[in-house]
Structure formats: C-alpha cells, structure tokens
Amino acid sequence: MPQNIFVLTGAGISAESGLGTFRDKRGEGIWAKFDPMKLATPEAFARDPEAVLAFYDLRRRNLLNAKPNAAHFALARLEDALGKRDDSLTLVTQNIDDLHERAGSRRVIHMHGELLKARCGRCEAVRRWLDDLTISDICPNCCDAGALRPHVVWFGEMPLALDLIDQALRKADLFVAVGTSGAVYPAAGFVAEARAYGLRTCEINLEAADNADLFDEQRLGPASETVPAWVEELVGGSAE
Ligand code: OAD
C-alpha cells in the first residue's frame, strides 16, 4: 500500500465540469480554436493586452459558473484519508481553476498559476481577483495602473514551485497523472523523474497520453468514474 502519493492533474480532470481541455485527438481543444502564441505568452500581452485579458476574462467567467466533479471530490477524500493514517498526498495541478479547492482539497500546488488571482507586473503583488481585468485597472498594492495581469504562467515563463514539486516527488512511493496529455514540459517530464526516483507510476486518462509508455499502469475512462474508483480501491476499506 503506497504511503506518499503524488498526483499530477491536468485539464482532463475538469473537462466534465465544463471547462475545455487544450488538446485532444479530435482536434477540438482550446488551442485548436485559439493560437496560444497570440494569447498565452508575455510577448502577446505586451503586443495586445486587451485580447489577452479578454481571453482570460471569458475563462474566468466560465470558471465562476463551473462546479467540481466527482474526480475532484475523490482526491479531496484521498487527502483526508491519507492524512488520518499519517500518510500524505501531494496534489500538483497544471490547472488554473480552483475546482480542487472547492471540492475540499486543502493543499494544492498550482504550478501554472491561478485564474482567480491577479498579479501586478510592477510590484509583483498577487491578490484574489474575480472580476474582468482591464488595462486601466489599478494595483491595490502599489496603486500603479496598467500592469495587472492574470496570475497564470504563460509559455516562455517558469512554472511555479518546481523545487517543492521535486522534493515531494523524491519522497513519494506512487506517481499518478490524471487527465493530462503529457505534451507540456516540465510537467510532462515528472513521470520520467518519478521512475528515476523509483516510484511506481499510474496514468488515469480518457485516452493514452503522449508519454503513456512511461507508466506502469493505465486506467482509461472519464475521470469522474476512474478517479473515484481508484480512490475507493485505495482507502475504501480503511477507517476514514
Ligand atoms: P490537455 O488539454 O493537453 O490534455 C487533456 C487530457 O485530458 C488529454 O489526455 C485527454 O485525453 C484527457 N481528458 C479529456 N477529457 C477527460 C475526462 N473526462 N476524463 C479524463 N481525462 C480526460 O491538458 P493538459 O495536459 O493539462 O498550460 O495541458 C497542459 C498545459 O497545456 C496546460 O496547463 C496549459 C496548456 O497549454 C499553460 O497554459 C501554460
């Protein structure tokens, strides 16, 4: 029975909550409709901030209307159950939504940032932000106008908390990737690191990821079914 479990989630875990994924084998993901180089890079923001902010405004509004699904709730249950027996769950997400938190997960590492926060490009202050963002908004911390941006990681920027993630990987026994295509690094490389550290690896996904051959075990199906079933197998018999 694994004691320290590391779970990496991607857009697939939030798909059944109505938030789109970025890429799929049918070519219907967000990045098939929108060009990430025009909407999710620092250069795009410098060139056309209105277009970038409008893209994230739409996603923020969708998120505020979305609800966590059974997969998010199952991971919160897993955190609780492992905590009670002095084991641990490290939950790292590439998602910028807050559905893990709303399902009850207490400790979530958002390596690609958080959509419901804004960051000031001048003073770097980060704060919760639920409204649309405009180029004339004033930073509540430094009072400068025009530098607020979504607190998200764009292509060409460094993901967050990589040291913390590496420490957690080193002490884990089991690595599980849920709903991620394995196309974007460094997250796509965590499974190889996990193997190098001697962890068992498991993929839970709708369809096999690009790096599927690096997983010891594969469970294919919608996350709202596969994740609760996996959690039930792990902790169903234990006193929670
Ligand atoms: P992708 O959109 O690349 O991959 C989504 C994965 O979820 C695919 O493997 C799908 O098969 C799977 N999937 C879809 N529906 C599912 C369901 N109901 N249940 C389970 N799995 C399902 O999303 P990510 O891998 O998260 O980064 O993308 C990684 C990064 O690329 C994102 O964080 C974002 C994007 O560009 C930035 O914006 C920096």
Side-chain angles (χ1 to χ4, degrees):
M1 178 74 78
Q3 298 185 313
N4 295 308
I5 302 178
F6 185 115
V7 173
L8 170 70
T9 63
I13 197 165
S14 298
E16 291 162 83
S17 294
L19 303 181
T21 60
F22 296 95
R23 32 188 103 65
D24 62 32
K25 302 235 152 85
R26 292 167 303 285
E28 289 168 4
I30 294 173
W31 294 149
K33 295 188 208 108
F34 300 97
D35 180 352
M37 294 305 122
K38 292 192 176 142
L39 295 168
T41 66
E43 294 76 18
F45 187 57
R47 204 167 40 235
D48 191 352
E50 278 104 341
V52 172
L53 293 180
F55 173 69
Y56 285 96
D57 286 346
L58 186 62
R59 296 186 61 198
R60 191 183 303 102
R61 284 183 229 144
N62 287 343
L63 172 56
L64 291 171
N65 287 319
K67 291 191 172 52
N69 66 56
H72 299 102
F73 284 110
L75 292 181
R77 177 188 176 205
L78 182 62
E79 182 183 19
D80 265 357
L82 292 179
K84 282 189 184 134
R85 60 185 201 206
D86 275 344
D87 294 338
S88 75
L89 174 71
T90 300
L91 178 55
V92 176
T93 188
Q94 297 165 87
N95 299 341
I96 57 176
D97 66 54
D98 66 339
L99 298 184
H100 284 304
E101 287 89 342
R102 279 198 260 156
S105 286
R106 284 188 298 271
R107 195 166 160 268
V108 185
I109 300 175
H110 282 273
M111 64 178 291
H112 288 168
E114 294 172 78
L115 183 56
L116 300 186
K117 291 183 179 170
R119 184 168 82 238
C120 176
R122 301 236 163 73
C123 73
E124 297 294 322
V126 174
R127 65 168 60 207
R128 191 163 163 82
W129 196 281
L130 305 185
D131 297 327
D132 287 355
L133 266 174
T134 69
I135 51 165
S136 50
D137 277 323
I138 292 171
C139 170
N141 187 54
C142 70
C143 299
D144 248 358
L148 285 181
R149 56 166 280 185
H151 180 49
V152 300
V153 173
W154 285 324
F155 289 99
E157 295 182 323
M158 187 64 92
L160 310 175
L162 291 179
D163 285 349
L164 199 63
I165 290 171
D166 185 60
Q167 282 165 25
L169 261 182
R170 284 171 189 269
K171 66 168 210 229
D173 315 292
L174 172 67
F175 173 86
V176 182
V178 180
T180 177
S181 61
V184 174
Y185 284 82
F190 292 168
V191 61
E193 282 174 53
R195 288 176 77 89
Y197 295 145
L199 278 66
R200 204 178 145 67
T201 57
C202 172
E203 174 186 17
I204 302 182
N205 216 351
L206 190 61
E207 43 203 9
D210 295 357
N211 53 3
D213 55 334
L214 293 175
F215 290 90
D216 300 314
E217 185 189 347
Q218 200 176 43
R219 294 169 177 239
L220 297 184
S224 66
E225 295 170 17
T226 48
V227 178
W230 170 66
V231 169
E232 177 63 24
E233 276 174 41
L234 277 179
V235 300
S238 64
E240 286 182 50

